[in-house]
Amino acid sequence: MSKIKLTFPDDSVKEFDEGTTTLDVAKSISTSLGKKAVAGKLNDTLVDLERPIKQDAKIEIISGEDKEDALKVLRNTAALVFSAAAKSFKKDLHFGEKQANDDGFYVDTDSKEGQISVDELKDIKALMNKIIKNNDKIERSMMDKDKLVEMFKDDPYKSSLIGAIESVQIPVYTLDGFVDFGYDAVLTNLKALKHFELLSVAGAYWQGKSSNPMLQRIYATAFYKEDGLEADLKRRAEIKERDHRTIGRDLDLFFVDPEVGAGLPYWMPNGATIRRVIERYIVDKEVAWGYQHVYTPILMNLNAYKTSGHWAHYREDMFPPMDMGDGEMLELRPMNCPSHIQIYKHHNRSYRDLPLRIAELGMMHRYEKSGALSGLQRVREMTLNDGHTFVALDQIQEEFKRTLQLMVEVYKDFDINDYTFRLSYRDPANTEKYFDDDEMWNRSQSMLKAAMDDLGLKYYEAEGEAAFYGPKLDVQTKTALGNEETLSTIQLDFMQPEKFQLTYVGSDGEDHRPVMIHRGIVSTMERFIAYLIEIYKGAFPTWLAPTQVRIIPVNQKLHSEYANEVLSELRAKNIRAEIDDRDEKMGYKIRDAQTMKVPYTVVIGDEEAKNATVSVRKYGEADSASENAKMFVSSVVADIANFSRKDVTDKSDAKD
């Protein structure tokens, strides 16, 4: 019998008979490993335990202790068991795409008799448990592609998936009479599949295209141990509680209606108020730091994006150009930088103009696929807090430091503390997608690194995360759900000034090429507000809250005059206040103020009207406190002025 050589992770090499399996190899190492093994990895590809190995390869034994790969095998198996159970539950069910990942697994289904509903998941789970209890063996075999096509000729989705496979023979899995394919590895038996949950259903376009049929996507998860499942379900409950889409609906902040435009948010008055406060804040902050704010069109001649390189490197994320009929092609802008370059070019520039800081709340458009859209986090229209600074070479380090100081100041005001710095370089092994200038890349990457080292800031380096035109510093934050997200960025760009032939006259009277620094402080308004909604769980600090004070008169006829006096005093100080004059009971009004997460609820009755006081209840607190009305107004003013970061002590206006 022919021999094969297998190389193990420790670089040791052993000979085995051709046709041996990963399970055989595991058992040859130790009996315990043979029992723990769930799959193998041949040349970094997951394979079933009982798949014959027919040639030399690198091998790794995946055991139940190897979390990521082992969980994928378990979830593949759970997806197969789900599919078998769902097919027995709905005989006419067709299956689309499926995937096991670090968040669980999903299976897309379709049925003419009616899609699987949330209420039916418990019935399918019961059928899954029955299959698992029987511990039916999963049979793996190889089937000719033609035969598989014939088997699934009545399933349009499976037929399409089979057609995309190049192999003549395809591995198939049979479980309790159900046949499926498309798994890289599954368990040999079902003993380990004890802790799983069918989570939810959602619509998903076939292959992510909105022109295709809408299928029903079943989300689920599985773990080897019960405590893993319990922790995951707890995490998911927290995610659901903080989901900005749910909170946005409950607090009437925004909505997205696919019928009038998927990925195009509509800002309701409450959400628009939050956005307006943030926009005014960031514009005022940037102006104070020397930025000149501008407005530029959202349309631009396509040639500008060809010059900038966006058309070559970013075309798939851009909307199709609009033919104006006279040879002019206009493009919805995906980036603001070419627009700000035009601002720079409009005048002749001198070294005395530099650094020239240009900023804008610039609207952009991205050609996002329907399947990728998500609330405010992934949209097709967005407004970026964008800025571009044009500097001389010897000004880079100082401007870089200055931009970082601005970022840190903004983070402090929003009470953002958990962030890290990431230097993002091009991938040296895959340079095709980047601007082709090795000298520029080496020079700019060295400059960024030197600037960070000079500032004494801790950072980590990430190859392959750069923009196509230059390296960047990304500020990575942790969301409320523990995910990492890029909140701010500073990018060095030697390419765009060269492509657009930007110059300035130096002190020597000669033309010189400026360097362009791209920077975004708080990302897009959409993504930043989604981030804040989840961080604050919808309970915005006073300075950001849509309604900062809600006044509730005990008796509308008796107390409305004094309530309006308090309202006038609050609004005179630019405090966003309102009177709840609805014909509802007091208890309901107070509960509603808490539900809407209003920072201050003020109740006014006989005692308050008589003594010029207010009964104040802060959001999240059970008790109310009586305060002098003027003192209360002053405390709210101080709360807003301090960005709600600390207890209010400034009551200087109390004697006004």
Side-chain angles (χ1 to χ4, degrees):
M1 183 175 287
S2 300
K3 297 288 186 180
I4 58 172
K5 292 182 179 180
L6 299 180
T7 304
F8 291 82
D10 63 358
D11 292 329
S12 63
V13 180
K14 293 183 181 180
E15 280 194 346
F16 293 87
D17 291 334
E18 181 183 334
T20 194
T21 66
T22 300
L23 182 59
D24 295 330
V25 175
K27 288 179 178 178
S28 74
I29 296 172
S30 72
T31 303
S32 62
L33 183 59
K35 292 179 179 179
K36 292 178 181 178
V38 297
K41 233 179 181 181
L42 291 182
N43 297 328
D44 298 322
T45 300
L46 275 173
V47 296
D48 297 294
L49 274 180
E50 296 183 353
R51 174 180 169 180
I53 307 172
K54 298 182 178 180
Q55 57 188 16
D56 296 349
K58 293 189 302 180
I59 189 170
E60 183 180 351
I61 310 298
I62 305 301
S63 73
E65 298 170 354
D66 299 318
K67 187 176 181 181
E68 185 175 341
D69 289 325
L71 276 176
K72 186 175 183 182
V73 176
L74 180 73
R75 289 165 180 172
N76 278 339
T77 310
L80 176 59
V81 174
F82 166 80
S83 300
K87 185 68 173 178
S88 67
F89 184 75
K90 280 185 182 286
K91 301 298 183 184
D92 78 323
L93 203 64
H94 294 315
F95 295 94
E97 295 176 311
K98 55 183 174 288
Q99 186 181 97
N101 52 42
D102 58 2
D103 194 48
F105 68 92
Y106 66 77
V107 179
D108 290 347
T109 66
D110 193 19
S111 171
K112 291 181 180 179
E113 293 182 359
Q115 301 283 26
I116 294 173
S117 69
V118 174
D119 294 337
E120 291 172 325
L121 292 182
K122 63 180 184 300
D123 298 319
I124 297 175
K125 182 179 179 181
L127 290 173
M128 290 177 68
N129 280 321
K130 185 177 179 181
I131 294 172
I132 294 166
K133 186 177 180 181
N134 291 339
N135 195 27
D136 293 334
K137 184 175 176 60
I138 299 172
E139 300 288 348
R140 180 186 186 277
S141 61
M142 301 299 292
M143 184 177 290
D144 290 341
K145 184 175 180 178
D146 292 343
K147 187 177 180 180
L148 199 59
V149 168
E150 177 64 23
M151 179 179 291
F152 287 101
K153 64 181 180 181
D154 295 327
D155 189 325
Y157 311 113
K158 289 292 188 186
S159 296
S160 177
L161 293 171
I162 296 167
I165 300 173
E166 296 181 358
S167 304
V168 176
Q169 283 204 318
I170 299 170
V172 299
Y173 298 86
T174 304
L175 174 63
D176 195 28
F178 176 78
V179 180
D180 204 0
F181 63 92
Y183 304 92
D184 42 17
V186 299
L187 299 173
T188 54
N189 62 63
L190 306 179
K191 289 181 180 178
L193 189 56
K194 298 177 181 178
H195 311 294
F196 69 94
E197 190 60 66
L198 303 183
L199 300 167
S200 61
V201 301
Y205 289 114
W206 165 236
Q207 296 185 328
K209 296 179 180 178
S210 58
S211 57
N212 286 343
M214 176 74 78
L215 307 186
Q216 193 80 325
R217 178 164 291 179
I218 314 300
Y219 287 98
T221 194
F223 287 85
Y224 284 98
K225 296 181 179 179
E226 186 177 4
D227 58 356
L229 178 61
E230 289 178 352
D232 186 63
L233 294 178
K234 184 178 180 181
R235 178 185 69 86
R236 290 176 188 277
E238 177 73 7
I239 289 174
K240 188 175 181 180
E241 190 176 348
R242 289 185 182 270
D243 191 324
H244 79 278
R245 294 166 297 183
T246 303
I247 295 173
R249 181 196 65 221
D250 294 344
L251 299 186
D252 201 22
L253 303 180
F254 71 94
F255 70 88
V256 180
D257 185 351
E259 293 297 319
V260 293
L264 303 173
Y266 284 73
W267 295 87
M268 298 299 286
N270 286 343
T273 298
I274 296 169
R275 175 170 171 164
R276 184 169 60 251
V277 172
I278 294 172
E279 288 179 343
R280 287 174 175 172
Y281 163 87
I282 200 66
V283 170
D284 289 346
K285 179 72 69 174
E286 288 174 343
V287 169
W289 278 69
Y291 285 87
Q292 300 177 56
H293 262 261
V294 299
Y295 295 98
T296 58
I298 63 170
L299 287 169
M300 201 172 200
N301 193 296
L302 179 61
N303 290 330
Y305 297 112
K306 289 182 177 179
T307 300
S308 70
H310 287 99
W311 186 246
H313 295 274
Y314 206 71
R315 188 182 311 179
E316 291 184 357
D317 296 305
M318 298 170 66
F319 278 91
M322 289 172 274
D323 189 343
M324 304 309 293
D326 57 359
E328 184 182 25
M329 302 292 286
L330 292 181
E331 177 67 33
L332 280 169
R333 69 179 175 193
M335 299 286 189
N336 301 310
C337 29
S339 301
H340 291 181
I341 286 172
Q342 300 310 311
I343 296 284
Y344 180 93
K345 289 182 68 175
H346 190 65
H347 294 300
N348 294 324
R349 303 294 180 180
S350 159
Y351 71 95
R352 293 186 178 89
D353 298 322
L354 306 184
L356 178 64
R357 306 179 185 95
I358 299 171
E360 178 179 11
L361 291 170
M363 184 180 291
M364 311 183 307
H365 293 81
R366 303 281 173 85
Y367 188 77
E368 295 279 6
K369 292 183 178 180
S370 298
L373 300 173
S374 177
L376 295 177
Q377 290 175 327
R378 291 291 293 271
V379 293
R380 288 174 171 156
E381 178 184 276
M382 64 216 74
T383 300
L384 180 65
N385 164 226
D386 209 357
H388 297 90
T389 304
F390 299 87
V391 298
L393 276 173
D394 60 1
Q395 295 173 328
I396 289 177
Q397 189 162 312
E398 184 59 33
E399 190 63 24
F400 187 85
K401 179 179 178 181
R402 203 172 184 277
T403 306
L404 272 177
Q405 289 171 332
L406 170 59
M407 284 182 176
V408 170
E409 188 171 301
V410 171
Y411 289 177
K412 180 182 177 184
D413 290 342
F414 284 95
D415 199 25
I416 299 171
N417 303 302
D418 187 7
Y419 57 87
T420 56
F421 296 112
R422 180 183 76 185
L423 282 182
S424 298
Y425 304 144
R426 70 169 175 171
D427 183 353
N430 181 24
T431 59
E432 290 81 7
K433 66 178 182 177
Y434 302 101
F435 177 59
D436 185 17
D437 188 334
D438 290 341
E439 182 182 353
M440 180 279 287
W441 280 99
N442 294 333
R443 183 181 190 183
S444 55
Q445 288 179 174
S446 297
M447 279 188 166
L448 266 187
K449 182 175 172 59
M452 291 296 289
D453 290 338
D454 186 66
L455 290 168
L457 294 171
K458 293 182 179 180
Y459 60 90
Y460 67 96
E461 298 166 292
E463 292 182 342
E465 296 294 333
F468 75 86
Y469 49 75
K472 57 181 178 172
L473 171 73
D474 291 319
V475 183
Q476 302 296 107
T477 60
K478 283 291 183 72
T479 68
L481 308 177
N483 300 317
E484 187 173 86
E485 184 175 280
T486 300
L487 183 59
S488 306
T489 186
I490 311 174
Q491 303 174 3
L492 284 189
D493 187 352
F494 290 77
M495 183 196 83
Q496 300 287 355
E498 186 71 32
K499 281 182 169 288
F500 283 94
Q501 296 295 296
L502 303 186
T503 60
Y504 68 90
V505 178
S507 58
D508 58 1
E510 300 293 327
D511 283 348
H512 296 270
R513 189 81 71 210
V515 178
M516 192 173 177
I517 300 177
H518 308 246
R519 48 105 289 198
I521 302 297
V522 294
S523 185
T524 66
M525 289 299 105
E526 291 75 12
R527 180 169 286 189
F528 187 55
I529 291 174
Y531 169 80
L532 293 179
I533 289 172
E534 295 184 354
I535 285 289
Y536 298 138
K537 214 184 258 190
F540 285 90
T542 308
W543 75 285
L544 285 175
T547 300
Q548 295 165 323
V549 180
R550 183 177 290 184
I551 302 169
I552 303 176
V554 174
N555 184 297
Q556 194 63 36
K557 292 182 179 179
L558 297 177
H559 308 126
S560 62
E561 183 179 350
Y562 179 56
N564 276 287
E565 288 178 14
V566 174
L567 179 68
S568 296
E569 289 192 39
L570 288 164
R571 288 183 172 175
K573 297 293 185 180
N574 295 317
I575 296 168
R576 295 185 291 277
E578 62 183 27
I579 294 177
D580 188 345
D581 55 4
R582 293 175 295 174
D583 187 19
E584 299 285 355
K585 294 181 179 180
M586 276 287 297
Y588 172 83
K589 292 183 178 182
I590 292 172
R591 286 193 302 273
D592 184 64
Q594 293 291 297
T595 299
M596 296 303 291
K597 306 188 180 188
V598 178
Y600 295 97
T601 301
V602 170
V603 176
I604 289 176
D606 291 337
E607 287 294 317
E608 288 77 22
K610 177 182 177 181
N611 300 316
T613 60
V614 289
S615 178
V616 182
R617 180 178 176 178
K618 293 182 180 179
Y619 172 74
E621 296 184 3
D623 299 326
S624 300
S626 180
E627 293 187 32
N628 173 276
K630 289 187 178 294
M631 294 282 282
F632 168 68
V633 173
S634 296
S635 70
V636 177
V637 169
D639 184 7
I640 295 168
N642 288 315
F643 300 102
S644 310
R645 289 196 304 260
K646 58 184 180 180
D647 291 338
V648 178
T649 56
D650 181 12
K651 304 189 189 275
S652 57
D653 292 340
K655 297 179 181 179
D656 290 353

PDB file of all heavy atoms in Angstrom, residues 21 40 97 133 191 208 230 240 258 295 313 315 319 419 449 473 495 526 529 537 607:
ATOM      1  N   THR A  21      -7.595   8.092   7.699  1.00  0.00           N
ATOM      2  CA  THR A  21      -8.473   9.217   8.016  1.00  0.00           C
ATOM      3  C   THR A  21      -7.900  10.044   9.165  1.00  0.00           C
ATOM      4  O   THR A  21      -6.990   9.595   9.871  1.00  0.00           O
ATOM      5  CB  THR A  21      -9.872   8.728   8.415  1.00  0.00           C
ATOM      6  OG1 THR A  21      -9.759   8.004   9.659  1.00  0.00           O
ATOM      7  CG2 THR A  21     -10.468   7.823   7.347  1.00  0.00           C
ATOM      8  N   GLY A  40     -10.663  17.328  11.103  1.00  0.00           N
ATOM      9  CA  GLY A  40      -9.255  17.566  10.810  1.00  0.00           C
ATOM     10  C   GLY A  40      -9.116  18.828   9.993  1.00  0.00           C
ATOM     11  O   GLY A  40     -10.093  19.390   9.484  1.00  0.00           O
ATOM     12  N   GLU A  97     -29.026  29.381   0.763  1.00  0.00           N
ATOM     13  CA  GLU A  97     -27.666  29.385   1.324  1.00  0.00           C
ATOM     14  C   GLU A  97     -27.709  29.117   2.830  1.00  0.00           C
ATOM     15  O   GLU A  97     -28.716  29.348   3.497  1.00  0.00           O
ATOM     16  CB  GLU A  97     -27.003  30.730   1.037  1.00  0.00           C
ATOM     17  CG  GLU A  97     -26.794  30.977  -0.447  1.00  0.00           C
ATOM     18  CD  GLU A  97     -26.217  32.344  -0.751  1.00  0.00           C
ATOM     19  OE1 GLU A  97     -26.754  33.344  -0.220  1.00  0.00           O
ATOM     20  OE2 GLU A  97     -25.250  32.416  -1.499  1.00  0.00           O
ATOM     21  N   LYS A 133     -31.679  12.539  19.722  1.00  0.00           N
ATOM     22  CA  LYS A 133     -31.867  11.463  20.697  1.00  0.00           C
ATOM     23  C   LYS A 133     -31.650  10.098  20.049  1.00  0.00           C
ATOM     24  O   LYS A 133     -31.068   9.184  20.666  1.00  0.00           O
ATOM     25  CB  LYS A 133     -33.263  11.548  21.303  1.00  0.00           C
ATOM     26  CG  LYS A 133     -33.503  10.552  22.428  1.00  0.00           C
ATOM     27  CD  LYS A 133     -34.893  10.744  23.034  1.00  0.00           C
ATOM     28  CE  LYS A 133     -35.122   9.745  24.173  1.00  0.00           C
ATOM     29  NZ  LYS A 133     -36.487   9.908  24.749  1.00  0.00           N
ATOM     30  N   LYS A 191     -23.988  12.982  19.304  1.00  0.00           N
ATOM     31  CA  LYS A 191     -23.937  12.992  20.770  1.00  0.00           C
ATOM     32  C   LYS A 191     -23.599  14.371  21.332  1.00  0.00           C
ATOM     33  O   LYS A 191     -24.088  14.746  22.400  1.00  0.00           O
ATOM     34  CB  LYS A 191     -22.917  11.969  21.255  1.00  0.00           C
ATOM     35  CG  LYS A 191     -23.331  10.516  21.062  1.00  0.00           C
ATOM     36  CD  LYS A 191     -22.256   9.578  21.598  1.00  0.00           C
ATOM     37  CE  LYS A 191     -22.660   8.113  21.410  1.00  0.00           C
ATOM     38  NZ  LYS A 191     -21.608   7.183  21.885  1.00  0.00           N
ATOM     39  N   GLY A 208     -28.383  37.646  -1.809  1.00  0.00           N
ATOM     40  CA  GLY A 208     -28.177  39.040  -1.435  1.00  0.00           C
ATOM     41  C   GLY A 208     -28.589  40.066  -2.464  1.00  0.00           C
ATOM     42  O   GLY A 208     -28.283  41.252  -2.322  1.00  0.00           O
ATOM     43  N   GLU A 230     -25.779  29.419  27.536  1.00  0.00           N
ATOM     44  CA  GLU A 230     -26.425  30.366  28.449  1.00  0.00           C
ATOM     45  C   GLU A 230     -25.784  31.752  28.352  1.00  0.00           C
ATOM     46  O   GLU A 230     -26.478  32.772  28.324  1.00  0.00           O
ATOM     47  CB  GLU A 230     -26.352  29.848  29.885  1.00  0.00           C
ATOM     48  CG  GLU A 230     -27.256  28.646  30.141  1.00  0.00           C
ATOM     49  CD  GLU A 230     -27.137  28.128  31.561  1.00  0.00           C
ATOM     50  OE1 GLU A 230     -26.240  28.615  32.293  1.00  0.00           O
ATOM     51  OE2 GLU A 230     -27.923  27.244  31.939  1.00  0.00           O
ATOM     52  N   LYS A 240     -30.174  42.728  22.019  1.00  0.00           N
ATOM     53  CA  LYS A 240     -31.544  43.095  21.662  1.00  0.00           C
ATOM     54  C   LYS A 240     -31.996  44.329  22.430  1.00  0.00           C
ATOM     55  O   LYS A 240     -32.663  45.217  21.886  1.00  0.00           O
ATOM     56  CB  LYS A 240     -32.481  41.920  21.956  1.00  0.00           C
ATOM     57  CG  LYS A 240     -33.898  42.123  21.451  1.00  0.00           C
ATOM     58  CD  LYS A 240     -34.732  40.874  21.656  1.00  0.00           C
ATOM     59  CE  LYS A 240     -36.146  41.064  21.130  1.00  0.00           C
ATOM     60  NZ  LYS A 240     -36.976  39.843  21.322  1.00  0.00           N
ATOM     61  N   PRO A 258     -38.067  50.143   3.282  1.00  0.00           N
ATOM     62  CA  PRO A 258     -37.603  49.607   1.994  1.00  0.00           C
ATOM     63  C   PRO A 258     -38.524  49.962   0.834  1.00  0.00           C
ATOM     64  O   PRO A 258     -38.085  50.013  -0.320  1.00  0.00           O
ATOM     65  CB  PRO A 258     -37.573  48.087   2.227  1.00  0.00           C
ATOM     66  CG  PRO A 258     -37.447  47.931   3.709  1.00  0.00           C
ATOM     67  CD  PRO A 258     -38.202  49.086   4.294  1.00  0.00           C
ATOM     68  N   TYR A 295     -19.485  74.078   2.024  1.00  0.00           N
ATOM     69  CA  TYR A 295     -20.524  73.224   1.449  1.00  0.00           C
ATOM     70  C   TYR A 295     -20.111  72.914   0.014  1.00  0.00           C
ATOM     71  O   TYR A 295     -19.757  73.831  -0.737  1.00  0.00           O
ATOM     72  CB  TYR A 295     -21.890  73.920   1.443  1.00  0.00           C
ATOM     73  CG  TYR A 295     -22.460  74.211   2.810  1.00  0.00           C
ATOM     74  CD1 TYR A 295     -22.319  75.475   3.375  1.00  0.00           C
ATOM     75  CD2 TYR A 295     -23.144  73.232   3.519  1.00  0.00           C
ATOM     76  CE1 TYR A 295     -22.849  75.759   4.625  1.00  0.00           C
ATOM     77  CE2 TYR A 295     -23.676  73.506   4.770  1.00  0.00           C
ATOM     78  CZ  TYR A 295     -23.520  74.768   5.322  1.00  0.00           C
ATOM     79  OH  TYR A 295     -24.048  75.041   6.556  1.00  0.00           O
ATOM     80  N   HIS A 313     -10.381  52.006  -8.088  1.00  0.00           N
ATOM     81  CA  HIS A 313     -10.215  51.184  -6.889  1.00  0.00           C
ATOM     82  C   HIS A 313     -11.501  50.981  -6.088  1.00  0.00           C
ATOM     83  O   HIS A 313     -11.546  50.120  -5.207  1.00  0.00           O
ATOM     84  CB  HIS A 313      -9.164  51.819  -5.959  1.00  0.00           C
ATOM     85  CG  HIS A 313      -7.787  51.839  -6.541  1.00  0.00           C
ATOM     86  ND1 HIS A 313      -6.914  50.780  -6.441  1.00  0.00           N
ATOM     87  CD2 HIS A 313      -7.135  52.790  -7.243  1.00  0.00           C
ATOM     88  CE1 HIS A 313      -5.778  51.081  -7.049  1.00  0.00           C
ATOM     89  NE2 HIS A 313      -5.882  52.299  -7.537  1.00  0.00           N
ATOM     90  N   ARG A 315     -14.903  51.323  -7.552  1.00  0.00           N
ATOM     91  CA  ARG A 315     -16.054  51.385  -8.451  1.00  0.00           C
ATOM     92  C   ARG A 315     -17.247  50.564  -7.970  1.00  0.00           C
ATOM     93  O   ARG A 315     -18.402  50.975  -8.106  1.00  0.00           O
ATOM     94  CB  ARG A 315     -15.638  50.911  -9.837  1.00  0.00           C
ATOM     95  CG  ARG A 315     -16.688  51.097 -10.905  1.00  0.00           C
ATOM     96  CD  ARG A 315     -16.226  50.567 -12.256  1.00  0.00           C
ATOM     97  NE  ARG A 315     -14.900  51.044 -12.608  1.00  0.00           N
ATOM     98  CZ  ARG A 315     -14.262  50.719 -13.729  1.00  0.00           C
ATOM     99  NH1 ARG A 315     -14.842  49.905 -14.591  1.00  0.00           N
ATOM    100  NH2 ARG A 315     -13.061  51.190 -13.981  1.00  0.00           N
ATOM    101  N   PHE A 319     -22.321  54.381  -7.081  1.00  0.00           N
ATOM    102  CA  PHE A 319     -23.521  54.267  -7.902  1.00  0.00           C
ATOM    103  C   PHE A 319     -23.153  54.468  -9.375  1.00  0.00           C
ATOM    104  O   PHE A 319     -22.151  55.119  -9.694  1.00  0.00           O
ATOM    105  CB  PHE A 319     -24.561  55.298  -7.473  1.00  0.00           C
ATOM    106  CG  PHE A 319     -25.366  54.871  -6.279  1.00  0.00           C
ATOM    107  CD1 PHE A 319     -24.963  55.185  -4.991  1.00  0.00           C
ATOM    108  CD2 PHE A 319     -26.523  54.123  -6.445  1.00  0.00           C
ATOM    109  CE1 PHE A 319     -25.697  54.781  -3.891  1.00  0.00           C
ATOM    110  CE2 PHE A 319     -27.265  53.716  -5.356  1.00  0.00           C
ATOM    111  CZ  PHE A 319     -26.854  54.033  -4.074  1.00  0.00           C
ATOM    112  N   TYR A 419     -10.894  53.144  23.861  1.00  0.00           N
ATOM    113  CA  TYR A 419     -10.451  53.163  22.475  1.00  0.00           C
ATOM    114  C   TYR A 419      -8.954  52.873  22.388  1.00  0.00           C
ATOM    115  O   TYR A 419      -8.202  53.048  23.350  1.00  0.00           O
ATOM    116  CB  TYR A 419     -10.772  54.501  21.795  1.00  0.00           C
ATOM    117  CG  TYR A 419     -10.200  55.726  22.472  1.00  0.00           C
ATOM    118  CD1 TYR A 419      -8.917  56.181  22.183  1.00  0.00           C
ATOM    119  CD2 TYR A 419     -10.953  56.443  23.399  1.00  0.00           C
ATOM    120  CE1 TYR A 419      -8.393  57.311  22.794  1.00  0.00           C
ATOM    121  CE2 TYR A 419     -10.453  57.577  24.020  1.00  0.00           C
ATOM    122  CZ  TYR A 419      -9.165  58.010  23.708  1.00  0.00           C
ATOM    123  OH  TYR A 419      -8.652  59.115  24.318  1.00  0.00           O
ATOM    124  N   LYS A 449       4.307  56.298  11.646  1.00  0.00           N
ATOM    125  CA  LYS A 449       4.885  55.560  12.773  1.00  0.00           C
ATOM    126  C   LYS A 449       5.778  56.466  13.613  1.00  0.00           C
ATOM    127  O   LYS A 449       5.714  56.454  14.847  1.00  0.00           O
ATOM    128  CB  LYS A 449       5.677  54.362  12.255  1.00  0.00           C
ATOM    129  CG  LYS A 449       6.298  53.494  13.349  1.00  0.00           C
ATOM    130  CD  LYS A 449       6.956  52.261  12.744  1.00  0.00           C
ATOM    131  CE  LYS A 449       7.739  51.479  13.782  1.00  0.00           C
ATOM    132  NZ  LYS A 449       6.907  51.032  14.903  1.00  0.00           N
ATOM    133  N   LEU A 473      -4.090  56.235  10.515  1.00  0.00           N
ATOM    134  CA  LEU A 473      -4.264  55.907  11.920  1.00  0.00           C
ATOM    135  C   LEU A 473      -5.754  55.772  12.161  1.00  0.00           C
ATOM    136  O   LEU A 473      -6.516  56.706  11.910  1.00  0.00           O
ATOM    137  CB  LEU A 473      -3.697  57.008  12.821  1.00  0.00           C
ATOM    138  CG  LEU A 473      -4.027  56.844  14.309  1.00  0.00           C
ATOM    139  CD1 LEU A 473      -3.226  55.713  14.923  1.00  0.00           C
ATOM    140  CD2 LEU A 473      -3.797  58.138  15.073  1.00  0.00           C
ATOM    141  N   MET A 495      -0.589  60.927  -2.643  1.00  0.00           N
ATOM    142  CA  MET A 495      -1.030  60.585  -3.985  1.00  0.00           C
ATOM    143  C   MET A 495      -1.945  61.643  -4.595  1.00  0.00           C
ATOM    144  O   MET A 495      -1.740  62.094  -5.718  1.00  0.00           O
ATOM    145  CB  MET A 495      -1.750  59.238  -3.955  1.00  0.00           C
ATOM    146  CG  MET A 495      -2.185  58.754  -5.329  1.00  0.00           C
ATOM    147  SD  MET A 495      -3.411  57.434  -5.258  1.00  0.00           S
ATOM    148  CE  MET A 495      -4.923  58.377  -5.045  1.00  0.00           C
ATOM    149  N   GLU A 526     -24.787  59.051  10.801  1.00  0.00           N
ATOM    150  CA  GLU A 526     -25.612  57.854  10.948  1.00  0.00           C
ATOM    151  C   GLU A 526     -24.943  56.836  11.863  1.00  0.00           C
ATOM    152  O   GLU A 526     -25.548  56.345  12.826  1.00  0.00           O
ATOM    153  CB  GLU A 526     -25.876  57.237   9.561  1.00  0.00           C
ATOM    154  CG  GLU A 526     -26.789  58.061   8.672  1.00  0.00           C
ATOM    155  CD  GLU A 526     -26.127  59.297   8.069  1.00  0.00           C
ATOM    156  OE1 GLU A 526     -24.873  59.412   8.144  1.00  0.00           O
ATOM    157  OE2 GLU A 526     -26.856  60.148   7.531  1.00  0.00           O
ATOM    158  N   ILE A 529     -24.422  58.145  15.578  1.00  0.00           N
ATOM    159  CA  ILE A 529     -25.632  58.162  16.399  1.00  0.00           C
ATOM    160  C   ILE A 529     -26.079  56.744  16.732  1.00  0.00           C
ATOM    161  O   ILE A 529     -26.544  56.474  17.846  1.00  0.00           O
ATOM    162  CB  ILE A 529     -26.742  58.979  15.701  1.00  0.00           C
ATOM    163  CG1 ILE A 529     -26.346  60.465  15.682  1.00  0.00           C
ATOM    164  CG2 ILE A 529     -28.097  58.800  16.401  1.00  0.00           C
ATOM    165  CD1 ILE A 529     -27.268  61.362  14.905  1.00  0.00           C
ATOM    166  N   LYS A 537     -27.920  53.253  25.583  1.00  0.00           N
ATOM    167  CA  LYS A 537     -29.148  52.443  25.655  1.00  0.00           C
ATOM    168  C   LYS A 537     -30.379  53.327  25.476  1.00  0.00           C
ATOM    169  O   LYS A 537     -31.441  53.089  26.046  1.00  0.00           O
ATOM    170  CB  LYS A 537     -29.209  51.685  26.983  1.00  0.00           C
ATOM    171  CG  LYS A 537     -29.851  50.319  26.898  1.00  0.00           C
ATOM    172  CD  LYS A 537     -29.969  49.664  28.274  1.00  0.00           C
ATOM    173  CE  LYS A 537     -28.908  48.625  28.479  1.00  0.00           C
ATOM    174  NZ  LYS A 537     -29.135  47.812  29.715  1.00  0.00           N
ATOM    175  N   GLU A 607     -48.718  72.801  45.821  1.00  0.00           N
ATOM    176  CA  GLU A 607     -47.568  73.225  46.617  1.00  0.00           C
ATOM    177  C   GLU A 607     -46.522  73.912  45.746  1.00  0.00           C
ATOM    178  O   GLU A 607     -45.942  74.929  46.129  1.00  0.00           O
ATOM    179  CB  GLU A 607     -46.940  72.010  47.323  1.00  0.00           C
ATOM    180  CG  GLU A 607     -47.752  71.473  48.485  1.00  0.00           C
ATOM    181  CD  GLU A 607     -47.828  72.479  49.627  1.00  0.00           C
ATOM    182  OE1 GLU A 607     -46.787  73.098  49.943  1.00  0.00           O
ATOM    183  OE2 GLU A 607     -48.931  72.661  50.180  1.00  0.00           O
TER     184      GLU A 607
END
